[in-house]
Amino acid sequence: MRTYAGHSTAAASNELYRTNLAKGQTGLSVAFDLPTQTGYDPDSPLAKGEVGKVGVPVPHLGEMRKLFDQIPLTEMNTSMTINATAMWLLAMYQVVAEEQNGVSAASTDEERAQVAAQLAGTTQNDIIKEYLSRGTYVFGPDHSLRLIGDMIAYTVHQIPKWNPINICSYHLQEAGATPVQEIAYAMCTAIAVLDQVKASGQVSEADFGKVVGRMSFFVNAGVRFVEEMCKMRAFVELWDEITRERYGVTDEKMRRFRYGVQVNSLGLTEAQPENNVQRIVLEMLAVTLSKNARARAVQLPAWNEALGLPRPWDQQWSLRLQQVLAFESDLLEYDDLFDGSPVVEAKVRELVEGARAEIDRVQAMGGAIAAVESGYMKSALVSSHAVRRSRIESGEEIVVGVNRFDTTEPSPLTADLDAAIMVADPQAEAAALASVEAWKAQRDATEVAEALAALAAAAKTDENLMLYTLAAARAGATTGEWAQTLREVFGEFRAPTGVSGAVGAVSQAGEAGSELAAVRERVKATGEQLGGRLRVLIGKPGLDGHSNGAEQIAVRARDAGFEVIYQGIRLTPEQIVSAAVAEDVHLVGLSILSGSHMELVPDVLEGLRAAGLDDVPVIVGGIIPDSDARRLKELGVAAVYTPKDFGLTEIMGGFVDVIRHASGLD
């Protein structure tokens, strides 16, 4: 069982792994969250405020060299949380490995191949979950699937130890997926990918089992301990069935369901955050106790991730939780503890049958790509999330410290909230910009232009794009240039938000329904006083693709009687201001979970003032420390909401209060 150090950030994680390497602990895997997933350079306006806050900026080969300085890549197993630009990051990784092993421009293809054959690791490379939950896509579904297929074919032939895709249902659960939906949509993604590789003709029938054998999965583990353990057994059973019956893979080893886990972040609470530790331990046990469905790698979040960025010490704590389980307990000494259990077998049957039915439904639509483009899967996730939120608000689903047992003694862990989380280096963005400028100044611009032109030409054919991507990396192209070159061929794409088709979850009966009805009456009355229906703009500025909160706010605002304008993710402050002007809104709500609120919110406020809308109130939601919340209010923000504000209907009442105050009503 490999171990990971939680949500890694650049400086702390790189130093941690170098320290372990010096101690001879080469069995550890390197896990980096890379903010270049959307294919933007740090000098893109969409990257403002986010550089260095959500991982490691890798805009060009020079930064990849720096990132892996003194880390021998042919001896490591590296996991890259990278999706839309996975081909590009793998190309730069391979080029750095070649350089570390003395391969130069004058070297032969055989010498390059010898280095590539030694590389081991994983690229997440699951673009379908990006359309459904995480948002870091660049191109449309068909073109993205083509890149994935090209990359899989290349690695099967050239980097046989590499896992080219890590199908990631983790974010589906974060977006609200039930266990049945998580299983079904992950399997539908796998089917779409395997069908793409088979249809491309780049892998022979004899080698197709290798494609299946190099696919891995990244799964979520929630706190419902028994259900999550049974979910993993259901995953194992269905994967074996699909690969055997649909694809004819006879080798049991190739059909093995290989998966890693990050345990649930959706359930982490800002209120009484010390409770997150026992939640994390229970979730880890759910994916390790059953030997026949045991995770091959486990990644744990930190106890304080609902408060802000975890510090190196917090990451270490998460790592130690795993090490105590692996090295102090007797967990690994026994066969499967649940074989023959009627309770477990019944629950597994229920999950398998439910997942099969949902897989059949998606396949009948034309498969995962069609279900993405129609918005079916996205709407299903938004609706499931709305059901969960309503259950928490009504008290039907108990969250300790939030809606039950919420009295508390002062916690020494959060006595100084400003010190309880990591603050990103304010100079990180300037350093990244300077790095890009210096890189472009020293490279051969003609060589870069020729490599990108060749990439664009190949993209218009059915050639494998991996070799052209490697050539662009060696020439010195940047991440943004690679992505923009393909954008110009493939076009732009915006995935359905899922909000318009989502079903609101709050029943009109009972206490929760009466509260919503009361807010709806206030929305209607205030609108009549102001001469029309109240209009709310929900905006997602920057590259932050975590849209789950914004979607739930939009759905509840619609149910409360507001007219909701929600245009999805990746908007500049200028675009948000333009939408506010065009729609003549009464309120602008900004959702920011990347920690870039202090950079982006002032830009929106200034834009509204310049447009003559300084009387339109702005509210902000996100993982925002108290000190930042105070500063935002001093700048003119009307209200700040954080994860502790779990009552969406109560927040809707706050919307009305803010609008009435800004409009001079009592």
PDB file of all heavy atoms in Angstrom, residues 353-376:
ATOM      1  N   GLU A 353     -26.502  -4.151  -8.869  1.00  0.00           N
ATOM      2  CA  GLU A 353     -27.702  -4.090  -9.711  1.00  0.00           C
ATOM      3  C   GLU A 353     -28.089  -2.652 -10.023  1.00  0.00           C
ATOM      4  O   GLU A 353     -28.484  -2.332 -11.150  1.00  0.00           O
ATOM      5  CB  GLU A 353     -28.841  -4.831  -9.015  1.00  0.00           C
ATOM      6  CG  GLU A 353     -28.639  -6.348  -8.983  1.00  0.00           C
ATOM      7  CD  GLU A 353     -29.613  -7.062  -8.057  1.00  0.00           C
ATOM      8  OE1 GLU A 353     -30.571  -6.403  -7.597  1.00  0.00           O
ATOM      9  OE2 GLU A 353     -29.421  -8.266  -7.804  1.00  0.00           O
ATOM     10  N   GLY A 354     -27.979  -1.780  -9.043  1.00  0.00           N
ATOM     11  CA  GLY A 354     -28.289  -0.371  -9.296  1.00  0.00           C
ATOM     12  C   GLY A 354     -27.323   0.250 -10.281  1.00  0.00           C
ATOM     13  O   GLY A 354     -27.726   1.013 -11.167  1.00  0.00           O
ATOM     14  N   ALA A 355     -26.029  -0.076 -10.147  1.00  0.00           N
ATOM     15  CA  ALA A 355     -25.026   0.471 -11.065  1.00  0.00           C
ATOM     16  C   ALA A 355     -25.221  -0.071 -12.476  1.00  0.00           C
ATOM     17  O   ALA A 355     -25.086   0.671 -13.458  1.00  0.00           O
ATOM     18  CB  ALA A 355     -23.623   0.138 -10.554  1.00  0.00           C
ATOM     19  N   ARG A 356     -25.534  -1.370 -12.604  1.00  0.00           N
ATOM     20  CA  ARG A 356     -25.781  -1.940 -13.934  1.00  0.00           C
ATOM     21  C   ARG A 356     -26.924  -1.207 -14.628  1.00  0.00           C
ATOM     22  O   ARG A 356     -26.847  -0.894 -15.824  1.00  0.00           O
ATOM     23  CB  ARG A 356     -26.142  -3.421 -13.815  1.00  0.00           C
ATOM     24  CG  ARG A 356     -24.961  -4.359 -13.688  1.00  0.00           C
ATOM     25  CD  ARG A 356     -25.375  -5.772 -14.097  1.00  0.00           C
ATOM     26  NE  ARG A 356     -24.383  -6.746 -13.674  1.00  0.00           N
ATOM     27  CZ  ARG A 356     -24.535  -7.610 -12.679  1.00  0.00           C
ATOM     28  NH1 ARG A 356     -25.665  -7.609 -11.980  1.00  0.00           N
ATOM     29  NH2 ARG A 356     -23.585  -8.458 -12.373  1.00  0.00           N
ATOM     30  N   ALA A 357     -27.992  -0.949 -13.897  1.00  0.00           N
ATOM     31  CA  ALA A 357     -29.146  -0.259 -14.483  1.00  0.00           C
ATOM     32  C   ALA A 357     -28.764   1.142 -14.953  1.00  0.00           C
ATOM     33  O   ALA A 357     -29.184   1.584 -16.039  1.00  0.00           O
ATOM     34  CB  ALA A 357     -30.281  -0.192 -13.465  1.00  0.00           C
ATOM     35  N   GLU A 358     -27.951   1.860 -14.164  1.00  0.00           N
ATOM     36  CA  GLU A 358     -27.550   3.219 -14.554  1.00  0.00           C
ATOM     37  C   GLU A 358     -26.564   3.189 -15.716  1.00  0.00           C
ATOM     38  O   GLU A 358     -26.616   4.041 -16.612  1.00  0.00           O
ATOM     39  CB  GLU A 358     -26.951   3.952 -13.354  1.00  0.00           C
ATOM     40  CG  GLU A 358     -26.647   5.420 -13.590  1.00  0.00           C
ATOM     41  CD  GLU A 358     -27.872   6.276 -13.851  1.00  0.00           C
ATOM     42  OE1 GLU A 358     -29.015   5.787 -13.686  1.00  0.00           O
ATOM     43  OE2 GLU A 358     -27.695   7.451 -14.238  1.00  0.00           O
ATOM     44  N   ILE A 359     -25.669   2.195 -15.742  1.00  0.00           N
ATOM     45  CA  ILE A 359     -24.757   2.041 -16.883  1.00  0.00           C
ATOM     46  C   ILE A 359     -25.559   1.809 -18.153  1.00  0.00           C
ATOM     47  O   ILE A 359     -25.298   2.423 -19.201  1.00  0.00           O
ATOM     48  CB  ILE A 359     -23.777   0.874 -16.642  1.00  0.00           C
ATOM     49  CG1 ILE A 359     -22.794   1.223 -15.522  1.00  0.00           C
ATOM     50  CG2 ILE A 359     -23.006   0.534 -17.922  1.00  0.00           C
ATOM     51  CD1 ILE A 359     -21.979   0.036 -15.033  1.00  0.00           C
ATOM     52  N   ASP A 360     -26.556   0.930 -18.084  1.00  0.00           N
ATOM     53  CA  ASP A 360     -27.391   0.648 -19.259  1.00  0.00           C
ATOM     54  C   ASP A 360     -28.122   1.903 -19.722  1.00  0.00           C
ATOM     55  O   ASP A 360     -28.277   2.142 -20.923  1.00  0.00           O
ATOM     56  CB  ASP A 360     -28.396  -0.459 -18.929  1.00  0.00           C
ATOM     57  CG  ASP A 360     -27.744  -1.823 -18.758  1.00  0.00           C
ATOM     58  OD1 ASP A 360     -26.576  -1.974 -19.187  1.00  0.00           O
ATOM     59  OD2 ASP A 360     -28.399  -2.723 -18.193  1.00  0.00           O
ATOM     60  N   ARG A 361     -28.570   2.721 -18.771  1.00  0.00           N
ATOM     61  CA  ARG A 361     -29.277   3.956 -19.122  1.00  0.00           C
ATOM     62  C   ARG A 361     -28.350   4.906 -19.890  1.00  0.00           C
ATOM     63  O   ARG A 361     -28.741   5.490 -20.904  1.00  0.00           O
ATOM     64  CB  ARG A 361     -29.803   4.618 -17.847  1.00  0.00           C
ATOM     65  CG  ARG A 361     -30.714   5.814 -18.087  1.00  0.00           C
ATOM     66  CD  ARG A 361     -31.313   6.320 -16.773  1.00  0.00           C
ATOM     67  NE  ARG A 361     -32.182   5.315 -16.162  1.00  0.00           N
ATOM     68  CZ  ARG A 361     -31.940   4.687 -15.025  1.00  0.00           C
ATOM     69  NH1 ARG A 361     -30.835   4.953 -14.339  1.00  0.00           N
ATOM     70  NH2 ARG A 361     -32.787   3.795 -14.541  1.00  0.00           N
ATOM     71  N   VAL A 362     -27.117   5.064 -19.408  1.00  0.00           N
ATOM     72  CA  VAL A 362     -26.159   5.954 -20.069  1.00  0.00           C
ATOM     73  C   VAL A 362     -25.762   5.392 -21.435  1.00  0.00           C
ATOM     74  O   VAL A 362     -25.685   6.128 -22.427  1.00  0.00           O
ATOM     75  CB  VAL A 362     -24.919   6.167 -19.184  1.00  0.00           C
ATOM     76  CG1 VAL A 362     -23.823   6.903 -19.943  1.00  0.00           C
ATOM     77  CG2 VAL A 362     -25.293   6.937 -17.919  1.00  0.00           C
ATOM     78  N   GLN A 363     -25.526   4.089 -21.512  1.00  0.00           N
ATOM     79  CA  GLN A 363     -25.143   3.487 -22.786  1.00  0.00           C
ATOM     80  C   GLN A 363     -26.262   3.623 -23.817  1.00  0.00           C
ATOM     81  O   GLN A 363     -26.007   3.810 -25.007  1.00  0.00           O
ATOM     82  CB  GLN A 363     -24.768   2.020 -22.593  1.00  0.00           C
ATOM     83  CG  GLN A 363     -23.503   1.792 -21.766  1.00  0.00           C
ATOM     84  CD  GLN A 363     -22.306   2.568 -22.290  1.00  0.00           C
ATOM     85  OE1 GLN A 363     -21.778   3.462 -21.632  1.00  0.00           O
ATOM     86  NE2 GLN A 363     -21.883   2.242 -23.489  1.00  0.00           N
ATOM     87  N   ALA A 364     -27.510   3.551 -23.362  1.00  0.00           N
ATOM     88  CA  ALA A 364     -28.643   3.714 -24.275  1.00  0.00           C
ATOM     89  C   ALA A 364     -28.715   5.131 -24.848  1.00  0.00           C
ATOM     90  O   ALA A 364     -29.256   5.348 -25.936  1.00  0.00           O
ATOM     91  CB  ALA A 364     -29.945   3.372 -23.559  1.00  0.00           C
ATOM     92  N   MET A 365     -28.162   6.098 -24.126  1.00  0.00           N
ATOM     93  CA  MET A 365     -28.111   7.481 -24.617  1.00  0.00           C
ATOM     94  C   MET A 365     -27.010   7.677 -25.651  1.00  0.00           C
ATOM     95  O   MET A 365     -26.941   8.728 -26.290  1.00  0.00           O
ATOM     96  CB  MET A 365     -27.842   8.446 -23.450  1.00  0.00           C
ATOM     97  CG  MET A 365     -28.908   8.493 -22.409  1.00  0.00           C
ATOM     98  SD  MET A 365     -28.396   9.581 -21.037  1.00  0.00           S
ATOM     99  CE  MET A 365     -29.789   9.353 -19.926  1.00  0.00           C
ATOM    100  N   GLY A 366     -26.116   6.700 -25.781  1.00  0.00           N
ATOM    101  CA  GLY A 366     -24.983   6.830 -26.679  1.00  0.00           C
ATOM    102  C   GLY A 366     -23.653   6.817 -25.951  1.00  0.00           C
ATOM    103  O   GLY A 366     -22.611   7.055 -26.557  1.00  0.00           O
ATOM    104  N   GLY A 367     -23.683   6.565 -24.643  1.00  0.00           N
ATOM    105  CA  GLY A 367     -22.456   6.486 -23.871  1.00  0.00           C
ATOM    106  C   GLY A 367     -22.167   7.736 -23.077  1.00  0.00           C
ATOM    107  O   GLY A 367     -22.949   8.696 -23.056  1.00  0.00           O
ATOM    108  N   ALA A 368     -21.009   7.732 -22.410  1.00  0.00           N
ATOM    109  CA  ALA A 368     -20.665   8.806 -21.477  1.00  0.00           C
ATOM    110  C   ALA A 368     -20.572  10.162 -22.162  1.00  0.00           C
ATOM    111  O   ALA A 368     -21.003  11.178 -21.604  1.00  0.00           O
ATOM    112  CB  ALA A 368     -19.354   8.473 -20.769  1.00  0.00           C
ATOM    113  N   ILE A 369     -19.990  10.206 -23.374  1.00  0.00           N
ATOM    114  CA  ILE A 369     -19.846  11.497 -24.053  1.00  0.00           C
ATOM    115  C   ILE A 369     -21.211  12.119 -24.329  1.00  0.00           C
ATOM    116  O   ILE A 369     -21.439  13.313 -24.074  1.00  0.00           O
ATOM    117  CB  ILE A 369     -19.050  11.330 -25.361  1.00  0.00           C
ATOM    118  CG1 ILE A 369     -17.616  10.891 -25.056  1.00  0.00           C
ATOM    119  CG2 ILE A 369     -19.049  12.624 -26.160  1.00  0.00           C
ATOM    120  CD1 ILE A 369     -16.821  11.858 -24.239  1.00  0.00           C
ATOM    121  N   ALA A 370     -22.138  11.316 -24.832  1.00  0.00           N
ATOM    122  CA  ALA A 370     -23.485  11.833 -25.108  1.00  0.00           C
ATOM    123  C   ALA A 370     -24.169  12.285 -23.822  1.00  0.00           C
ATOM    124  O   ALA A 370     -24.886  13.297 -23.808  1.00  0.00           O
ATOM    125  CB  ALA A 370     -24.315  10.760 -25.808  1.00  0.00           C
ATOM    126  N   ALA A 371     -23.944  11.543 -22.720  1.00  0.00           N
ATOM    127  CA  ALA A 371     -24.570  11.906 -21.450  1.00  0.00           C
ATOM    128  C   ALA A 371     -23.958  13.162 -20.848  1.00  0.00           C
ATOM    129  O   ALA A 371     -24.603  13.855 -20.057  1.00  0.00           O
ATOM    130  CB  ALA A 371     -24.468  10.740 -20.471  1.00  0.00           C
ATOM    131  N   VAL A 372     -22.702  13.455 -21.203  1.00  0.00           N
ATOM    132  CA  VAL A 372     -22.087  14.724 -20.810  1.00  0.00           C
ATOM    133  C   VAL A 372     -22.675  15.863 -21.624  1.00  0.00           C
ATOM    134  O   VAL A 372     -23.105  16.894 -21.087  1.00  0.00           O
ATOM    135  CB  VAL A 372     -20.558  14.677 -20.996  1.00  0.00           C
ATOM    136  CG1 VAL A 372     -19.961  16.083 -20.938  1.00  0.00           C
ATOM    137  CG2 VAL A 372     -19.914  13.808 -19.925  1.00  0.00           C
ATOM    138  N   GLU A 373     -22.697  15.702 -22.921  1.00  0.00           N
ATOM    139  CA  GLU A 373     -23.143  16.785 -23.802  1.00  0.00           C
ATOM    140  C   GLU A 373     -24.616  17.136 -23.598  1.00  0.00           C
ATOM    141  O   GLU A 373     -25.005  18.293 -23.727  1.00  0.00           O
ATOM    142  CB  GLU A 373     -22.882  16.394 -25.254  1.00  0.00           C
ATOM    143  CG  GLU A 373     -21.400  16.306 -25.585  1.00  0.00           C
ATOM    144  CD  GLU A 373     -21.117  15.817 -26.982  1.00  0.00           C
ATOM    145  OE1 GLU A 373     -21.971  15.085 -27.543  1.00  0.00           O
ATOM    146  OE2 GLU A 373     -20.049  16.146 -27.520  1.00  0.00           O
ATOM    147  N   SER A 374     -25.439  16.134 -23.268  1.00  0.00           N
ATOM    148  CA  SER A 374     -26.860  16.398 -23.022  1.00  0.00           C
ATOM    149  C   SER A 374     -27.104  17.020 -21.653  1.00  0.00           C
ATOM    150  O   SER A 374     -28.179  17.568 -21.396  1.00  0.00           O
ATOM    151  CB  SER A 374     -27.654  15.096 -23.121  1.00  0.00           C
ATOM    152  OG  SER A 374     -27.353  14.227 -22.032  1.00  0.00           O
ATOM    153  N   GLY A 375     -26.112  16.915 -20.771  1.00  0.00           N
ATOM    154  CA  GLY A 375     -26.265  17.419 -19.412  1.00  0.00           C
ATOM    155  C   GLY A 375     -26.908  16.425 -18.462  1.00  0.00           C
ATOM    156  O   GLY A 375     -27.127  16.743 -17.287  1.00  0.00           O
ATOM    157  N   TYR A 376     -27.188  15.203 -18.950  1.00  0.00           N
ATOM    158  CA  TYR A 376     -27.890  14.226 -18.101  1.00  0.00           C
ATOM    159  C   TYR A 376     -27.113  13.913 -16.831  1.00  0.00           C
ATOM    160  O   TYR A 376     -27.647  14.004 -15.715  1.00  0.00           O
ATOM    161  CB  TYR A 376     -28.160  12.928 -18.877  1.00  0.00           C
ATOM    162  CG  TYR A 376     -28.591  11.801 -17.967  1.00  0.00           C
ATOM    163  CD1 TYR A 376     -29.883  11.763 -17.446  1.00  0.00           C
ATOM    164  CD2 TYR A 376     -27.692  10.801 -17.582  1.00  0.00           C
ATOM    165  CE1 TYR A 376     -30.271  10.757 -16.578  1.00  0.00           C
ATOM    166  CE2 TYR A 376     -28.072   9.788 -16.711  1.00  0.00           C
ATOM    167  CZ  TYR A 376     -29.363   9.763 -16.207  1.00  0.00           C
ATOM    168  OH  TYR A 376     -29.734   8.777 -15.340  1.00  0.00           O
TER     169      TYR A 376
END
